[in-house]
Amino acid sequence: MAKAEKIEIYVNLCKGCEICVELCPVDALEMKDFKAAVKDLDKCIACMQCELRCPDFAIEVYKQ
Amino acid sequence: MAYDYAKYLRAGKIPHIWCPGCGYGIIMKSIIRAVDGLGMNKDDLVFTSGIGCASRLPGYIDANTLHTTHGRSLGFATGVKMAKPELNVIALGGDGDMTAIGGNHFIHACRRNIDITCLVFNNYIYGMTGGQYSPTTPKAARATTSPYGNSDNQFDIAQLAIGAGASFVARSTTYHAVPMEKLIKQAIEHKGFSVVEIIAGCPTGYGRKNKLASPAGMIEWQKANSVNKVQWDKMTAEEQAGKFPIGVLHQEEKPEFIEAYDANVGLS
Ligand SMILES: Cc1ncc(C[n+]2csc(CCOP(=O)(O)OP(=O)(O)O)c2C)c(N)n1
Ligand code: SF4
Ligand code: SF4
Ligand code: SF4
Ligand SMILES: [Mg+2]
């Protein structure tokens, strides 16, 4: 399974829509102060779905 | 390395005006990956739009862009394409823009089969003006103008395009970000009038009134109710009820308008 080296979240761009958090297949993300945040990087399988579906260019996944 | 969307975006224009969870940002990214994937030069690329939230998109793209009047995206696109057929012209708009006030332009552009790519962002509502029902609002759905539920029948945009003569017609959703990108590429590469209907969530104008307020829930709804065309064709009418097909729905080779025009007036 692919892994992510880093997940970058730009809180200035994040509008807190929760799309990335709710659609992550492995529950690797969470909401913190109305913005997306990384909950558990080890869980991430680098499927890229959060990055593809974020409407606001606010989350980037860097594969290992 | 993360995907470099910035090279097709106008500097300093992001964040965009769309609401939290609006599906349009997902579409904009698929469009950028499609034109980038085709190696398109920004100077050879033209985006036109009408009025509405969808029609704000060209303002963010660093290419030749025309934000025009309501329903007239295709009118301007046709003028650009006739004057400079070497340009790649992408005309976009919302369900209201393309099938209500711009419905006539839409059907006649389909009939004409001019080499333009038309992207219709279908969120089942007039998003920008506060959630009035549109020609694609489902029957019984609630809008500010149908507080007791919509009495009208729904337009099927893809079927409308096929019936009116478009030579490439496809449908996708914001759940399918990568397949959407591929369909947009195919539509751009197709010679003739191509239409891609893209189902998108409007949590603000449609979702809140129809028990679909969560943006992720709207995307899950698209996944649950869309069926690939190949599978769709094997389903019974009962199985198809309430669902919609996605993928390439129609493709044919037929004479393109500008070529026919040039031949008629002796230019080729
Ligand atoms: C001639 C004219 N009539 C009406 C309006 C008001 N108006 C602005 S946007 C819009 C509807 C937009 O709906 P749609 O095309 O579905 O776009 P969305 O906002 O949902 O993306 C209307 C009726 C207008 N701007 N111009
Ligand atoms: S999808 Fe994007 S904007 Fe929405 S919560 Fe996640 S990072 Fe923020
Ligand atoms: S890349 Fe996939 S697994 Fe990793 S956080 Fe994003 S959605 Fe979750
Ligand atoms: S009103 Fe609807 S379509 Fe317009 S930006 Fe908001 S969510 Fe998007
Ligand atoms: Mg609309």
Side-chain angles (χ1 to χ4, degrees):
Chain A
M1 202 59 94
K3 287 271 162 202
E5 180 185 306
K6 178 173 76 159
I7 298 175
E8 194 89 63
I9 294 168
Y10 302 99
V11 287
N12 55 327
L13 292 178
C14 174
K15 290 180 185 164
C17 71
E18 304 187 17
I19 286 177
C20 58
V21 175
E22 286 187 45
L23 297 184
C24 171
V26 294
D27 198 25
L29 304 168
E30 65 183 345
M31 295 304 292
K32 237 181 211 165
D33 299 327
F34 305 103
K35 304 279 181 176
V38 180
K39 182 169 157 188
D40 188 349
L41 187 63
D42 280 343
K43 276 190 179 173
C44 173
I45 54 170
C47 70
M48 309 306 285
Q49 292 304 327
C50 55
E51 181 178 318
L52 282 165
R53 299 207 186 103
C54 170
D56 284 280
F57 305 96
I59 183 165
E60 288 175 350
V61 179
Y62 293 82
K63 282 189 185 170
Q64 256 177 20
Chain B
M1 227 199 57
Y3 200 94
D4 182 18
Y5 291 100
K7 73 174 179 188
Y8 281 91
L9 291 171
R10 288 197 170 120
K13 289 282 183 182
I14 301 295
H16 50 62
I17 50 109
W18 296 317
C19 303
C22 175
Y24 291 168
I26 305 174
I27 304 177
M28 182 156 74
K29 288 164 66 182
S30 291
I31 294 173
I32 291 176
R33 292 194 307 275
V35 297
D36 192 20
L38 290 170
M40 292 180 113
N41 184 334
K42 294 191 267 191
D43 291 338
D44 300 330
L45 194 52
V46 184
F47 284 88
T48 68
S49 67
I51 297 293
C53 298
S55 294
R56 295 297 294 260
L57 188 146
Y60 302 111
I61 304 282
D62 188 20
N64 302 289
T65 61
L66 281 168
H67 184 193
T68 75
T69 52
H70 203 10
R72 273 54 184 165
S73 183
L74 283 165
F76 285 85
T78 301
V80 171
K81 188 72 188 175
M82 287 296 284
K84 289 197 174 285
E86 68 277 15
L87 298 179
N88 287 297
V89 182
I90 300 178
L92 61 91
D95 44 299
D97 195 68
M98 285 287 183
T99 68
I101 194 167
N104 241 329
H105 289 268
F106 181 73
I107 56 172
H108 292 288
C110 292
R111 178 173 68 89
R112 183 171 261 169
N113 197 36
I114 186 165
D115 189 22
I116 288 171
T117 304
C118 177
L119 307 178
V120 190
F121 296 15
N122 185 3
N123 58 6
Y124 305 122
I125 204 83
Y126 290 176
M128 176 162 273
T129 43
Q132 295 80 5
Y133 63 78
S134 86
T136 63
T137 304
K139 200 158 192 164
R142 281 169 210 275
T144 45
T145 43
S146 62
Y148 303 107
N150 182 24
S151 311
D152 270 322
N153 298 312
Q154 200 182 13
F155 256 159
D156 177 325
I157 297 178
Q159 285 300 328
L160 181 66
I162 295 169
S167 51
F168 178 97
V169 179
R171 184 188 282 119
S172 195
T173 84
T174 59
Y175 175 83
H176 303 89
V178 174
M180 184 206 316
E181 167 193 337
K182 291 184 180 149
L183 289 171
I184 295 170
K185 269 189 192 164
Q186 273 179 274
I188 292 171
E189 286 187 307
H190 176 82
K191 180 92 181 168
F193 195 70
S194 50
V195 176
V196 186
E197 176 189 354
I198 304 162
I199 309 296
C202 167
T204 307
Y206 185 79
R208 284 190 300 173
K209 290 182 200 69
N210 291 286
K211 301 197 174 81
L212 274 168
S214 123
M218 299 193 88
I219 294 174
E220 296 276 22
W221 179 91
Q222 294 163 12
K223 179 193 179 193
N225 291 285
S226 55
V227 182
N228 191 283
K229 167 84 167 97
V230 179
Q231 200 189 329
W232 177 263
D233 288 340
K234 295 180 195 148
M235 287 162 67
T236 63
E238 289 94 78
E239 288 167 338
Q240 290 176 346
K243 298 198 169 6
F244 55 86
I246 54 169
V248 177
L249 305 180
H250 176 78
Q251 188 164 18
E252 68 180 302
E253 292 285 322
K254 68 178 183 186
E256 192 274 330
F257 176 74
I258 296 176
E259 286 179 0
Y261 179 88
D262 285 353
N264 276 343
V265 299
L267 282 172
S268 66

